[in-house]
Amino acid sequence: MRIINRFAVLFILLLISSCSEQGNGVDFNKRSVSVIIAAEPPTLSTVGPVSSIGIFFQGHIFEGLLRYDENNKLSGGVAEKWEITPEGATFHLRKNAKWSDGRVVTAHDFIYAWRLGASPENEYNFITFPMKNASKIAEGKLTSDKLGVTAVDDFTLKVDFEAPCAYFPALTTFTTYMPIRQDSFEKWGADKYAVDPEKMFYNGPFVLTEWKHGVSLKMTKNNYYWDKEKIWLNEINVPAITDQSTTRFNMFISKDVCMVNLEDSNSLKSALKRRLETPMKSFSSGFISYLEFNNREGRPTANKNLRKAISLVINRSDIVNKVLGIPGYKPGSTMFPSWLGGYEKLLHEEYDFNLPLESLSEAQKYLALAKEELGMEEITLTYLYSGGPSTDGMAVYIQEQLMNKLGIKVNLDKQIFKIRIAKSLSGEFDFLGGGWGPDYNDPMTFGDLLASWNQNNRGKFKNEKYDALVVQANNSVDQKERMDCFYEMHKILHEEVPVFPIFESGGIYLADPRLKGFFRNIIGSDPQLTYARIEEDE
Amino acid sequence: MSKYVFKRLLSGFFTVFFIATVTFFGMHAIPGDPLSSDKVMSEASKEALNKKYGFDKPLYEQYFIFLKNTAQGDFGMSFTKKGQDVNDIIKQGFSESAKLGVLAILFAAFGGILWGALTAKYRNKWPDYLIMIFVILGISVPSFVFASFAQLFIVFLNQELNLVFPYRGDGSFVSLLVPALVLGLGTMAFLTRLMRSSLLEVINSDFVRTAKAKGLNSWQIFKSHELRNSILPVITILGPAIASITTGSFVIETIFTIPGLGKQFVEGVQQNDYTLIMGTTVFYGSFLVLMVLVVDIVYGFVDPRIKVGESK
Amino acid sequence: MNLIEIKNLKKFFEISKGSFVHAVDGISIDIRQNEILGLVGESGSGKSTLGKVIAGLHGRSSGEVKYQGELLPEVYKASDFLRLSKEIQMIFQDPYSSLNPRMTVEEIIGEGLKIQGVPSAEVRKKVKEWLEKVGLQSEHMSRFPHEFSGGQRQRIGIARAMIVEPSFIVCDEPISALDVSVQAQVVNLLKELKDSFGLTLLFIAHDLSMVRYISDRIAVMYLGKIVECGDADEVFFNPQHPYSKLLIDSNPIADPQKEKLREFKSIEGEIPSPVNIPEGCRFAGRCPSASEECGKVTPQLKSIADGHEVACHLFK
């Protein structure tokens, strides 16, 4: 018995001694914040696989020619001024922009990075296509030194466009456009560059000081950063990595992280139940989700009337409000989500994207037409999708609607992500649950998705008028003309229904009320903590 | 004995070889590859990358390269975790999983024996019924449900009582206790039942009466007679239990943010990370084969009537 | 001088609410210092239960058991076992199941001494000694029970009981599970041990000739009661109780010629259930000379000759 007692005492002592301080979510004295991420970035190389979690880090540790400032407005980064013409752009680099070892950032660091970015081995090379010769380099027809970018001198960078590119300045904030130190990249090689803190140099407001793979990461303030006076934070910690939303929520409740997304209805309910003092805020992820029909020959969904019939029986707001019930989601009637900017204001404020839908009774008419054209009595379709319980709900809803309203039998083909991708590329589906997120802040990031040459056009939709509009918008620098083009594209999609948009995703998040000056971004680092500060405790 | 071990190792080697081969070809038969992502890359990019990673070679050639590298103990680099050796991922992941697994097995074994003994001692009385209710819960409720509840409970407790008990794995030993307990729960429940029935058999046997006649008290009898004779079934399932605990820890690991191998394994499968899948599969396969062999050998020590390696 | 004194000992087992098995139902008997008392009876007569109650393996329902004049506790606590196991030991019937299969011979034999706090080197020495004393070899120490024959195992069982050097041993049918060829060896071993250590034995068996051979006195048990008790030869050659007579008559004679000629008398009927004990003499239902009185009044043990007691209404 005495032994057992001793053990008990020892055990309790162990418990007490091991308990860490509570709440490192925000720390005023250390000027540090902690955030939780769902997955480890595969790499922090800006020419490696692109991931949103990678962009979160890259947006803090690297800086492009331009950046989003403390008001989230586009402003000078490494470049202090720039000029843009339909033929190209010139960037003038500031002379005090430095790497984390004190070396000055020069135009050559950008050229080196962009050439890598345009090469066939970079899967995201399409993002460099506005530059002259980029698409030929990506196809392997030209070597990367032919890329339309030159250094006039160490601090002047000249870009030649393939076609006029009005949004190029904004594009330079994207991760592929960040500079790379040639010496570091060559020392470690493409595979090992930027996979550990010591295997890269930094020119952003922060440097990565710790990366325990699969466990935690840490960024600390970069003392060589040219604008370091504006940076209040000393540390950004990532204490853990987990894709369990409940765990992340629990970490916020325990004040171990400064911010959390309420991604499922459970954590939302539990947040409501606890009557947290923290106000709930919403954010948009920028993603649009849609059904994509297979337009390949021989597929019943290649028939426009069938697509129209289907689109008429699926109610977006029912899916969003009744089936999914995920806070922050809103029904989406277009492939051009509502957050996109237009020529002056928001795109949706300038054009009406909620074109009237035909009545439900028309669906039967279209179905009858489709059956006649296809010469089919019974129609059976395969719906390819992946994801969790909410997408299951959506699939079942669609299955039931099509059966009840149209008598169409739907086979559900649920696959893990990678298999869904492979099957969608090879065309093994009639329609699939697709989604698209923006790469840059311009409607074109969605607009050219359904261009017939786009690889991501998985339904192989081909419409000459649509393709022409994409080209026109690409070649114009007149924003009004371009926006008109996008609206025309929307009308074609509305009429032809190669895709049926369902919702714009977003979410609700909680942030520590003491945390100020951060941004939830659709493009670029999300959250953007560069200019964050913490209010002192009362 | 050594001949027996050699024979078992050899057959184990073929088992692992078989598993590896089936996994290799199965993995490649599944649509998609490690390079595919939400946004399609151009054909040129695809070609360039396929060439870089050797996917342009015929499958049998890739297979032989895999065999050759594996024979040299090199699983290659992960596709999705850039710059990380699969060997390192396994080493790190397994050391975490092993800590968790060993603790879980300890909890399961001690708990199972303790509860089993209590239910046998109080057969058909209320402690028996009470424990058996929990046993049924433990067997039927999946561990991730317990895990979520346990974590929520700790967070709630911390808030209400102003404690700072770790609710997730932060690298400390204490933070592993609850995850290990949850992880071992199913096995513990199963062991409790097993222990109960095998103890009930032993409790009424003649040699327990003999022990009583020797003058032993009930603890001494339990320790050196009842336990020793009823523990064999426990050891029997320990091999499979170690297997299920080390491979089944994925959910627990993600919920409690423990960077273990189970998590890596599942992530590898989800990402089609060929090298990671093969590395973890071969590793788990060998580990299981070894565990079963160890259990068989331990058998011989626990029950002298079982002669390991002697044919009848 | 009596080593064990038993007075009106009863042991009931509750099998369900309100219904009891009367395994031992009011037995009074003394066991003298340095004697072997043979206890015979059919299966189910309660002889094993009596032995276990004396050894403390069963608590008793009522009555007294005295050892060297000391009243033994009704139900043994752990400390009672520890103390009394040095005095009273038991040898069990089945040498196969009564030895723990996971223990070495050394552990099995030595355990009784070890718990008394004897240092392990001493225990080892004693185990060696006792293995040799019971006719085994000291190198058998590290072996397991399954490596031995039945006779050898029973020797292990004997060594196990003897190592604490008790003064009284209950032998619960120690030879009934053994081959006939080794029975005598074991019985002789017990006899030798008794002589050289001055033991007192309660020898429970149903093999009458073996009991007569080893015992000084014999008690015959029927359905929880002793029906006859006396000197071994007296009871064997001159049984008085009708049950004893039948029991002894049913014993085969070792001479095949005579055995062939022997009139075979079996006891009619089954032994009644010990749950519902009949009124009067328990044997009345099967007794060839039962009278009306036998069905009503339970006969008490009465002395009919010097040291020869019988419980039967035939003797007034």
Side-chain angles (χ1 to χ4, degrees):
Chain A
M1 257 332 189
R2 201 175 296 151
I3 293 175
I4 293 171
N5 284 340
R6 265 185 212 162
F7 267 117
V9 170
L10 200 74
F11 188 71
I12 291 163
L13 281 178
L14 196 68
L15 288 190
I16 295 167
S17 65
S18 70
C19 289
S20 51
E21 284 173 65
Q22 190 184 3
N24 302 317
V26 295
D27 190 326
F28 177 81
N29 294 324
K30 281 195 199 156
R31 295 191 174 199
S32 87
V33 295
S34 298
V35 290
I36 176 84
I37 57 177
E40 184 175 23
T43 173
L44 289 182
S45 167
T46 49
V47 292
V50 172
S51 62
S52 58
I53 194 64
I55 289 174
F56 163 69
F57 289 99
Q58 287 153 353
H60 287 92
I61 58 177
F62 299 119
E63 184 177 64
L65 291 170
L66 272 69
R67 66 172 299 110
Y68 288 95
D69 66 9
E70 63 270 31
N71 300 313
N72 217 18
K73 291 275 173 279
L74 199 61
S75 69
V78 176
E80 51 186 350
K81 351 186 256 277
W82 58 97
E83 299 106 38
I84 181 163
T85 64
E87 289 74 37
T90 310
F91 295 89
H92 304 278
L93 276 56
R94 60 181 87 239
K95 298 191 168 68
N96 58 345
K98 285 178 184 155
W99 290 98
S100 50
D101 63 342
R103 223 206 68 183
V104 177
V105 181
T106 68
H108 304 285
D109 296 325
F110 284 94
I111 294 173
Y112 184 71
W114 295 5
R115 284 176 178 172
L116 287 172
S119 74
E121 285 187 14
N122 181 17
E123 44 197 279
Y124 236 71
N125 50 23
F126 62 86
I127 201 85
T128 64
F129 286 3
M131 286 188 279
K132 200 169 180 62
N133 295 335
S135 59
K136 292 196 186 88
I137 293 166
E139 282 168 43
K141 289 177 187 158
L142 286 176
T143 51
S144 58
D145 58 319
K146 300 286 188 300
L147 188 68
V149 56
T150 44
V152 177
D153 59 49
D154 276 359
F155 298 100
T156 312
L157 193 69
K158 195 170 158 298
V159 180
D160 295 321
F161 292 156
E162 185 79 45
C165 184
Y167 57 88
F168 193 81
L171 205 55
T172 61
T173 65
F174 188 76
T175 203
T176 310
Y177 286 85
M178 305 283 185
I180 290 177
R181 275 278 289 268
Q182 185 170 359
D183 52 353
S184 177
F185 192 88
E186 281 171 1
K187 179 178 174 191
W188 300 107
D191 275 332
K192 291 207 165 154
Y193 167 72
V195 297
D196 284 307
E198 69 280 5
K199 291 178 184 164
M200 58 187 131
F201 289 108
Y202 311 86
N203 77 322
F206 294 89
V207 296
L208 190 73
T209 41
E210 190 182 294
W211 187 354
K212 291 184 194 153
H213 287 284
V215 187
S216 62
L217 297 97
K218 184 183 197 170
M219 295 185 278
T220 47
K221 188 173 174 176
N222 180 2
N223 282 322
Y224 282 101
Y225 182 57
W226 64 271
D227 202 14
K228 68 174 177 190
E229 275 67 41
K230 275 193 189 158
I231 312 301
W232 186 87
L233 274 188
N234 280 336
E235 272 178 25
I236 301 171
N237 287 302
V238 179
I241 299 166
T242 176
D243 61 359
Q244 292 286 322
S245 54
T246 50
T247 304
R248 296 203 290 268
F249 180 66
N250 285 334
M251 290 187 74
F252 180 78
I253 294 298
S254 304
K255 293 188 162 48
D256 281 336
V257 291
C258 66
M259 194 183 296
V260 70
N261 293 350
L262 302 178
E263 282 148 293
D264 55 79
S265 42
N266 279 343
S267 34
L268 184 74
K269 269 183 218 153
S270 124
L272 287 170
K273 211 162 42 185
R274 280 162 194 268
R275 273 180 248 105
L276 292 175
E277 288 152 42
T278 327
M280 291 189 188
K281 300 181 200 166
S282 70
F283 68 96
S284 169
S285 73
F287 263 75
I288 182 92
S289 284
Y290 48 85
L291 300 182
E292 185 161 14
F293 294 100
N294 196 343
N295 281 274
R296 287 174 181 80
E297 230 169 286
R299 289 282 175 178
T301 41
N303 184 290
K304 175 180 153 188
N305 288 319
L306 179 65
R307 300 199 299 264
K308 288 200 92 148
I310 292 172
S311 74
L312 288 175
V313 299
I314 294 170
N315 188 325
R316 298 176 171 117
S317 51
D318 277 357
I319 291 183
V320 169
N321 298 321
K322 295 183 184 161
V323 180
L324 299 174
I326 303 173
Y329 279 32
K330 50 186 176 186
S333 58
T334 170
M335 290 300 282
F336 298 97
S338 56
W339 55 268
L340 284 170
Y343 49 89
E344 273 171 351
K345 296 181 282 181
L346 286 177
L347 193 60
H348 279 228
E349 289 167 347
E350 292 161 349
Y351 302 90
D352 178 18
F353 281 87
N354 281 303
L355 296 174
L357 286 167
E358 287 165 276
S359 73
L360 196 69
S361 55
E362 300 292 302
Q364 293 298 336
K365 201 183 79 190
Y366 285 119
L367 180 68
L369 273 172
K371 281 186 174 170
E372 200 185 308
E373 285 162 9
L374 290 165
M376 292 166 91
E377 282 298 309
E378 295 280 312
I379 297 174
T380 304
L381 301 175
T382 302
Y383 176 54
L384 175 67
Y385 72 106
S386 59
S390 59
T391 52
D392 284 334
M394 189 166 115
V396 171
Y397 167 84
I398 292 167
Q399 191 180 37
E400 205 160 291
Q401 285 298 93
L402 263 55
M403 184 40 118
N404 291 345
K405 302 249 166 81
L406 301 173
I408 293 174
K409 187 170 181 284
V410 176
N411 294 325
L412 300 184
D413 184 12
K414 183 182 180 178
Q415 296 292 355
I416 64 166
F417 173 73
K418 288 272 179 174
I419 297 180
R420 199 249 298 166
I421 295 295
K423 283 186 123 177
S424 64
L425 286 176
S426 58
E428 293 169 59
F429 65 98
D430 289 311
F431 62 113
L432 61 82
W436 192 253
D439 293 314
Y440 48 91
N441 197 351
D442 187 88
M444 188 53 88
T445 192
F446 291 97
D448 73 355
L449 177 60
L450 289 161
S452 60
W453 58 82
N454 195 319
Q455 296 277 350
N456 289 302
N457 176 354
R458 288 164 284 208
K460 295 276 173 245
F461 170 70
K462 186 172 167 61
N463 182 298
E464 279 167 23
K465 220 172 124 201
Y466 191 94
D467 287 353
L469 283 166
V470 174
V471 173
Q472 189 190 345
N474 252 340
N475 290 341
S476 167
V477 282
D478 177 357
Q479 287 293 27
K480 175 79 175 65
E481 183 193 348
R482 296 181 70 239
M483 297 306 144
D484 285 344
C485 289
F486 294 128
Y487 189 56
E488 287 304 310
M489 291 181 209
H490 168 69
K491 282 187 185 161
I492 293 172
L493 298 183
H494 185 76
E495 171 60 26
E496 297 286 328
V497 211
V499 291
F500 181 67
I502 295 183
F503 58 83
E504 288 181 30
S505 56
I508 301 286
Y509 73 98
L510 299 171
D512 193 301
R514 288 169 291 177
L515 184 69
K516 306 285 178 193
F518 66 95
F519 298 103
R520 295 304 303 262
N521 281 335
I522 289 170
I523 314 269
S525 214
D526 177 43
Q528 173 58 260
L529 295 163
T530 300
Y531 302 106
R533 47 182 67 240
I534 300 164
E535 280 185 354
E536 206 168 348
D537 293 313
E538 283 114 43
Chain B
M1 181 77 174
S2 61
K3 196 177 154 201
Y4 168 78
V5 171
F6 177 75
K7 250 167 72 183
R8 285 290 303 267
L9 281 176
L10 195 73
S11 77
F13 170 78
F14 281 108
T15 310
V16 174
F17 178 78
F18 180 75
I19 294 170
T21 305
V22 168
T23 311
F24 184 88
F25 288 102
M27 178 177 82
H28 280 274
I30 293 171
D33 59 56
L35 302 175
S36 60
S37 70
D38 213 357
K39 309 212 167 177
V40 183
M41 62 182 101
S42 66
E43 282 305 311
S45 296
K46 200 156 197 171
E47 251 171 60
L49 288 169
N50 277 345
K51 200 169 164 193
K52 181 175 164 191
Y53 293 118
F55 295 156
D56 54 340
K57 296 194 180 84
L59 195 55
Y60 69 88
E61 210 177 312
Q62 291 182 45
Y63 176 64
F64 286 122
I65 292 170
F66 158 73
L67 285 186
K68 205 180 104 196
N69 290 340
T70 305
Q72 290 163 352
D74 177 18
F75 292 118
M77 298 260 270
S78 164
F79 282 107
T80 52
K81 297 167 199 299
K82 292 287 169 199
Q84 295 189 53
D85 266 330
V86 172
N87 289 21
D88 291 340
I89 293 176
I90 292 175
K91 217 185 288 165
Q92 278 166 20
F94 187 67
S95 75
E96 293 296 321
S97 286
K99 268 189 259 171
L100 183 67
V102 166
L103 257 180
I105 293 274
L106 285 179
F107 273 129
F110 280 118
I113 289 167
L114 177 68
W115 303 128
L118 281 177
T119 50
K121 189 166 163 57
Y122 294 100
R123 176 156 70 136
N124 297 341
K125 300 208 179 90
W126 68 265
D128 182 21
Y129 294 130
L130 187 74
I131 293 170
M132 289 318 274
I133 287 172
F134 280 110
V135 162
I136 290 165
L137 270 178
I139 289 175
S140 46
V141 177
S143 60
F144 62 84
V145 175
F146 282 123
S148 299
F149 273 114
Q151 188 178 54
L152 210 63
F153 183 69
I154 300 173
V155 169
F156 173 77
L157 223 58
N158 282 350
Q159 275 195 312
E160 295 299 313
L161 305 175
N162 229 351
L163 296 174
V164 279
F165 189 84
Y167 59 93
R168 65 176 192 88
D170 53 16
S172 69
F173 172 73
V174 175
S175 70
L176 283 178
L177 291 176
V178 173
L181 187 64
V182 172
L183 181 58
L185 222 51
T187 309
M188 187 196 288
F190 187 62
L191 275 179
T192 303
R193 277 178 52 164
L194 210 65
M195 197 65 201
R196 179 181 186 264
S197 59
S198 91
L199 254 176
L200 282 178
E201 226 169 84
V202 170
I203 276 175
N204 294 318
S205 65
D206 285 353
F207 60 82
V208 169
R209 192 186 57 197
T210 307
K212 217 169 157 190
K214 284 181 192 173
L216 272 68
N217 61 36
S218 47
W219 167 243
Q220 289 165 327
I221 292 176
F222 174 74
K223 192 181 62 180
S224 44
H225 293 272
E226 292 171 351
L227 188 62
R228 215 155 143 180
N229 283 279
S230 55
I231 207 149
L232 199 65
V234 174
I235 290 172
T236 315
I237 74 145
L238 222 50
I242 290 170
S244 73
I245 278 177
T246 44
T247 51
S249 56
F250 160 64
V251 186
I252 307 284
E253 283 171 7
T254 52
I255 288 178
F256 289 102
T257 67
I258 296 162
L261 189 56
K263 193 174 155 181
Q264 305 281 16
F265 183 42
V266 176
E267 275 176 14
V269 172
Q270 283 171 343
Q271 304 279 326
N272 261 350
D273 190 335
Y274 287 167
T275 45
L276 188 56
I277 293 176
M278 288 321 296
T280 40
T281 305
V282 169
F283 176 79
Y284 270 140
S286 320
F287 177 69
L288 295 192
V289 163
L290 218 63
M291 276 302 122
V292 174
L293 176 63
V294 167
V295 165
D296 282 358
I297 292 171
V298 168
Y299 249 57
F301 288 109
V302 177
D303 190 345
R305 289 173 298 185
I306 297 168
K307 281 275 175 286
V308 173
E310 277 176 20
S311 53
K312 287 173 194 124
Chain C
M1 197 208 142
N2 294 332
L3 187 69
I4 301 278
E5 289 166 32
I6 298 167
K7 241 179 231 135
N8 201 22
L9 178 66
K10 289 186 180 175
K11 174 66 192 173
F12 301 155
F13 294 100
E14 188 168 20
I15 49 169
S16 61
K17 267 235 141 50
S19 97
F20 293 90
V21 171
H22 298 238
V24 174
D25 199 3
I27 282 180
S28 301
I29 193 167
D30 299 331
I31 302 168
R32 294 174 204 141
Q33 184 89 50
N34 210 13
E35 81 164 348
I36 298 183
L37 175 67
L39 186 62
V40 293
E42 284 170 84
S43 316
S45 61
K47 54 190 192 305
S48 270
T49 306
L50 178 62
K52 284 174 194 162
V53 170
I54 296 169
L57 292 175
H58 288 314
R60 53 184 193 270
S61 306
S62 68
E64 288 181 357
V65 177
K66 281 185 181 165
Y67 169 75
Q68 289 182 336
E70 177 205 343
L71 184 66
L72 298 181
E74 205 155 277
V75 177
Y76 279 28
K77 294 194 293 282
S79 57
D80 297 324
F81 271 119
L82 193 62
R83 179 170 59 89
L84 289 167
S85 64
K86 283 185 289 189
E87 308 293 334
I88 302 172
Q89 269 298 339
M90 189 148 178
I91 295 167
F92 294 97
Q93 174 177 8
D94 185 350
Y96 293 88
S97 64
S98 60
L99 302 179
N100 188 339
R102 308 277 152 79
M103 282 186 159
T104 62
V105 168
E106 180 185 0
E107 285 174 292
I108 290 171
I109 297 177
E111 197 179 23
L113 259 193
K114 216 167 161 187
I115 58 162
Q116 305 285 356
V118 178
S120 41
E122 181 78 4
V123 172
R124 220 179 139 78
K125 211 181 103 207
K126 283 258 186 187
V127 170
K128 269 187 194 165
E129 268 177 44
W130 273 103
L131 274 172
E132 276 158 17
K133 276 181 192 158
V134 298
L136 296 169
Q137 282 124 47
S138 53
E139 58 265 29
H140 290 153
M141 276 176 79
S142 55
R143 296 205 191 155
F144 289 93
H146 66 273
E147 297 171 65
F148 294 92
S149 70
Q152 286 173 312
R153 285 182 190 217
Q154 197 56 296
R155 287 171 194 269
I156 294 168
I158 291 168
R160 196 226 91 226
M162 285 302 298
I163 196 162
V164 292
E165 295 175 8
S167 39
F168 179 66
I169 296 185
V170 176
C171 306
D172 185 7
E173 308 207 29
I175 52 170
S176 56
L178 303 179
D179 292 345
V180 180
S181 55
V182 296
Q183 283 185 353
Q185 295 174 13
V186 172
V187 168
N188 283 330
L189 173 64
L190 282 171
K191 224 174 166 157
E192 278 165 30
L193 290 172
K194 180 227 158 188
D195 291 342
S196 44
F197 291 88
L199 287 171
T200 306
L201 296 183
L202 175 65
F203 192 89
I204 301 168
H206 51 251
D207 181 340
L208 280 164
S209 32
M210 203 56 90
V211 171
R212 185 193 71 86
Y213 170 68
I214 192 173
S215 304
D216 300 313
R217 284 197 301 149
I218 291 180
V220 181
M221 237 181 125
Y222 184 75
L223 213 57
K225 280 200 174 290
I226 288 176
V227 293
E228 185 162 359
C229 177
D231 279 347
D233 288 347
E234 177 74 13
V235 173
F236 193 78
F237 292 113
N238 184 22
Q240 293 302 318
H241 193 281
Y243 175 67
S244 313
K245 281 184 189 167
L246 285 166
L247 192 68
I248 287 157
D249 278 350
S250 64
N251 195 42
I253 301 165
D255 182 341
Q257 302 300 327
K258 287 185 191 161
E259 172 70 19
K260 262 186 211 162
L261 296 170
R262 188 169 71 102
E263 185 189 353
F264 189 75
K265 277 190 238 163
S266 69
I267 308 176
E268 296 289 323
E270 284 281 313
I271 188 162
S273 157
V275 183
N276 306 307
I277 302 281
E279 286 281 312
C281 176
R282 281 148 201 247
F283 189 58
R286 299 163 79 186
C287 183
S289 35
S291 64
E292 207 175 304
E293 189 192 11
C294 300
K296 285 173 190 159
V297 183
T298 311
Q300 299 299 317
L301 269 179
K302 277 180 283 253
S303 186
I304 55 159
D306 189 24
H308 194 165
E309 290 172 301
V310 180
C312 182
H313 291 302
L314 292 174
F315 303 91
K316 298 268 169 175

